[in-house]
């Protein structure tokens, strides 16, 4: 890890300190070579005061046991029918994985405890089918888990639930993780699995989905997803709709995947998020440094006029920033010309890593909305290199410089940039 990586992590610490992260680890990830590195990542999370709860799966180990014993399984996921033989092997697999996790955590001096915090009931008889020893989450013992967290002990939760009368049931681990995250009001629910995340129909990674988009994707495209990913997407949607801000699905086999996903704006997997994830707001004094960083490259490329911190400070009431996950990734300015009922859209810039994600269009739409609400009839801008973008994506049209307000036209003629003048009539 280099210095810039460390600085990136430090930027997130105030935001995540003392927050609960529920991390769901597929059994296949516990069995992979990268698991020891993953435990080191967990140690990093604990070192910056993030409260970690681990939920593990057992499907991989269950299949291995069945192959070793040359026996058939009625179900491996905790979703279908769990007969007595499959349940007994599930208990063996669960015990094995839980203790593997304890051993690994101990090697990094992390204290942990296997819990019976899941209160379960039988899944029951559905559609005439008796699901036998398959269970469903009835309740989470929140006070028990919170007590462990207060003592700096990592709760380790298996996909086995208990009904309080001496009976236990096999439960789907994705559902367990979702229920735990909701009950604890977790900041994040992170699914670590042997897939890069959620892929679209072209096989490309989908980096972000809000709840509405995730539901639409689940409705139209989920039939082509692997069963493991289908399950995680379904539970991610449910979690986000019930108070969990962010759900991440990523490849736990990749070294530093967990840290890269948590401590960067971009991430490496798929994130499903609640609607409050992004916002546009008026800039504040503390944002000046971030704005200067955003516009540095466009200034060097002669796309926008040079600006200093003092220039931005002077015009700060006219600046707006686009935040994603509390990080500024876009900015713009709206300069008013009340005498002519015109407003100028200027200094629009989007961070390199966030280009082609619709942020520029959202900023333009917001500029139109604000300008219209303030009584302006026309929005104009000047562009030397990005004018095609503004015309195609924003609906702006080219005009003669004579449409500019007098004071702006004087500046235009004086700087000699010969920018194209674009305008849009506001409703």
């Amino acid at each position: 890890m280099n210095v810039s990586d460390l600085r990136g992590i430090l930027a997130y610490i105030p935001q995540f300190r003392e927050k609960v992260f529920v991390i769901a680890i597929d059994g296949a990830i516990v069995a992979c070579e990268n698991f020891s590195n993953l435990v080191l990542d967990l140690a990093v999370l604990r070192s910056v005061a993030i409260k970690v709860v681990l939920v593990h799966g057992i499907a991989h180990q269950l299949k291995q046991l069945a192959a070793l014993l040359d026996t058939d399984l009625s179900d491996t996921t905790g979703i279908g029918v769990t007969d007595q033989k499959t349940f007994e092997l599930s208990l063996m697999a669960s015990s094995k994985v839980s203790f593997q996790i304890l051993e690994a955590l101990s090697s990094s001096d992390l204290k942990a405890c296997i819990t019976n915090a899941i209160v379960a009931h039988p899944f029951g008889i559905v559609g005439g089918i008796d699901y036998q020893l398959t269970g469903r989450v009835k309740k989470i013992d929140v006070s028990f888990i919170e007590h462990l967290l207060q003592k700096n002990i990592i709760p380790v939760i298996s996909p086995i639930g208990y009904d309080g009368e001496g009976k236990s049931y096999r439960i789907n681990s994705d559902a367990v993780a979702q229920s735990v995250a909701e009950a604890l009001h977790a900041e994040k629910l992170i699914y670590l699995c042997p897939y890069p995340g959620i892929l679209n129909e072209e096989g490309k990674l989908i980096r972000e989905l809000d709840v509405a988009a995730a539901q639409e994707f689940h409705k139209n495209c989920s039939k082509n997803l692997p069963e493991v990913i289908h399950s995680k997407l379904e539970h991610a949607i449910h979690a986000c709709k019930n108070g969990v801000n962010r759900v991440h699905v990523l490849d736990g086999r990749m070294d530093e995947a967990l840290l890269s996903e948590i401590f960067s704006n971009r991430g490496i997997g798929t994130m499903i998020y609640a609607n409050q994830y992004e916002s546009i707001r008026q800039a504040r004094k503390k944002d000046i440094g971030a704005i200067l960083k955003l516009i540095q490259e466009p200034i060097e490329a002669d796309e926008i006029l040079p600006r200093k911190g003092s220039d931005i400070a002077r015009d700060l009431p006219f600046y707006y920033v686009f935040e994603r996950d509390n990080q500024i990734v876009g900015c713009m300015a709206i300069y008013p010309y009340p005498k002519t009922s015109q407003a100028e859209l200027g200094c629009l810039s989007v961070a390199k890593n966030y280009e082609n994600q619709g942020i520029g269009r959202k900023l333009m739409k917001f500029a139109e909305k604000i300008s219209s609400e303030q009584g302006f009839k026309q929005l104009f801008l000047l562009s030397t290199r990005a004018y095609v973008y503004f015309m195609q994506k924003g609906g702006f049209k080219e005009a003669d410089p004579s449409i500019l307000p007098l004071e702006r036209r004087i500046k235009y003629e004086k700087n000699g940039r010969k920018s194209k003048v674009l305008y849009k009539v506001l409703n």
Side-chain angles (χ1 to χ4, degrees), residues 96-151:
K96 177 181 179 180
V97 175
S98 293
F99 280 98
Q100 278 184 294
I101 291 174
L102 288 186
E103 286 178 345
L105 294 175
S106 296
S107 69
S108 292
D109 200 28
L110 294 172
K111 303 301 181 184
C113 177
I114 301 172
T115 75
N116 58 348
I118 307 300
V119 179
H121 282 189
F123 194 82
I125 302 171
V126 180
I129 299 173
D130 185 351
Y131 281 73
Q132 300 181 43
L133 293 169
T134 300
R136 55 188 172 88
V137 178
K138 178 64 177 177
K139 182 182 176 182
I140 306 297
D141 192 339
V142 172
S143 60
F144 178 26
I145 296 174
E146 288 181 340
H147 175 74
L148 294 174
L149 292 174
Q150 289 168 6
K151 298 295 183 180

Side-chain angles (χ1 to χ4, degrees), residues 161-403:
Y162 309 86
D163 70 356
E165 296 182 359
K167 294 181 180 179
S168 51
Y169 302 91
R170 163 81 161 107
I171 310 175
N172 175 260
S173 62
D174 293 340
V176 171
Q178 171 218 310
S179 298
V180 170
E182 291 176 8
L184 295 176
H185 306 290
E187 179 71 16
K188 290 182 181 290
L189 167 57
I190 302 170
Y191 287 112
L192 296 171
C193 64
Y195 292 90
I198 299 171
L199 306 181
N200 62 19
E201 291 178 305
E202 288 76 42
K204 294 182 180 180
L205 178 67
I206 302 174
R207 293 198 173 274
E208 300 165 359
L209 288 167
D210 63 25
V211 175
Q215 286 181 295
E216 188 69 19
F217 182 82
H218 182 265
K219 178 182 177 181
N220 297 325
C221 307
S222 64
K223 62 183 179 180
N224 298 320
L225 296 175
E227 184 179 5
V228 169
I229 296 299
H230 181 279
S231 171
K232 286 164 175 50
L233 175 59
E234 185 175 0
H235 290 97
I237 292 169
H238 196 289
C240 283
K241 292 172 70 175
N242 287 277
V244 180
N245 289 329
R246 312 281 183 268
V247 181
H248 304 256
V249 182
L250 61 146
D251 194 339
R253 300 168 301 178
M254 291 180 58
D255 189 21
E256 296 187 357
L258 184 60
L259 298 183
S260 299
E261 182 70 15
I262 293 172
F263 296 117
S264 71
N265 292 333
R266 184 73 168 162
I268 63 160
T270 300
M271 179 174 68
I272 297 93
Y273 57 89
N275 291 331
Q276 68 268 31
Y277 172 61
E278 59 184 34
S279 65
I280 301 173
R281 61 167 175 82
Q282 195 162 24
R284 306 174 187 134
K285 188 175 181 180
K286 67 178 183 179
D287 301 327
I288 292 175
I291 294 171
L292 285 171
K293 185 176 180 180
L294 272 174
I295 65 176
Q296 181 179 353
E297 190 171 327
I299 288 174
E300 292 173 353
D302 198 31
E303 294 177 0
I304 62 177
L305 282 170
R307 289 167 171 82
K308 298 179 181 178
S310 57
D311 299 324
I312 297 172
R314 181 194 63 220
D315 296 334
L316 197 59
F318 306 138
Y319 276 82
Y320 294 84
V321 294
F322 188 104
E323 280 190 321
R324 178 167 287 182
D325 203 13
N326 294 318
Q327 299 292 314
I328 294 174
V329 298
C331 68
M332 68 175 175
I334 305 172
Y335 302 105
Y337 294 88
K339 291 181 180 179
T340 59
S341 296
Q342 293 171 290
E344 178 183 2
L345 171 60
C347 202
L348 192 152
S349 183
V350 176
K352 195 75 174 177
N353 289 343
Y354 288 83
E355 292 178 349
N356 303 313
Q357 296 184 30
I359 293 174
R361 278 175 286 180
K362 290 178 182 179
L363 284 167
M364 282 189 281
K365 287 293 182 184
F366 187 84
E368 292 175 31
K369 177 176 178 291
I370 291 295
S371 300
S372 182
E373 289 175 352
Q374 294 177 354
F376 296 104
K377 304 300 182 183
Q378 186 186 86
L379 185 65
F380 71 88
L381 62 89
L382 306 178
S383 177
T384 56
R385 305 187 69 181
Y387 48 86
V388 173
Y389 170 80
F390 289 111
M391 295 171 74
Q392 291 181 348
K393 303 298 184 182
F396 284 83
K397 297 179 180 179
E398 188 173 356
D400 188 86
S402 61
I403 74 158

Side-chain angles (χ1 to χ4, degrees), residues 6-77:
L6 181 58
R7 287 173 178 163
I9 290 177
L10 291 174
Y12 283 86
I13 290 176
Q15 179 183 347
F16 294 149
R17 182 182 287 118
E18 299 300 325
K19 297 293 177 63
V20 175
F21 287 12
V22 175
I23 301 178
I25 308 175
D26 279 12
I29 301 306
V30 177
C32 79
E33 292 181 357
N34 189 55
F35 183 61
S36 58
N37 295 323
L38 179 59
V39 172
L40 294 177
D41 292 349
L42 296 178
V44 172
L45 300 187
R46 288 297 303 120
S47 71
V48 294
I50 292 172
K51 298 177 179 179
V52 173
V53 178
L54 295 183
V55 177
H56 69 77
I58 59 172
H60 178 82
Q61 288 75 11
L62 190 54
K63 292 174 184 176
Q64 283 187 326
L65 279 173
L68 182 66
L69 299 174
D70 193 24
T71 187
D72 294 327
L73 298 168
S74 61
D75 176 67
T76 61
T77 63

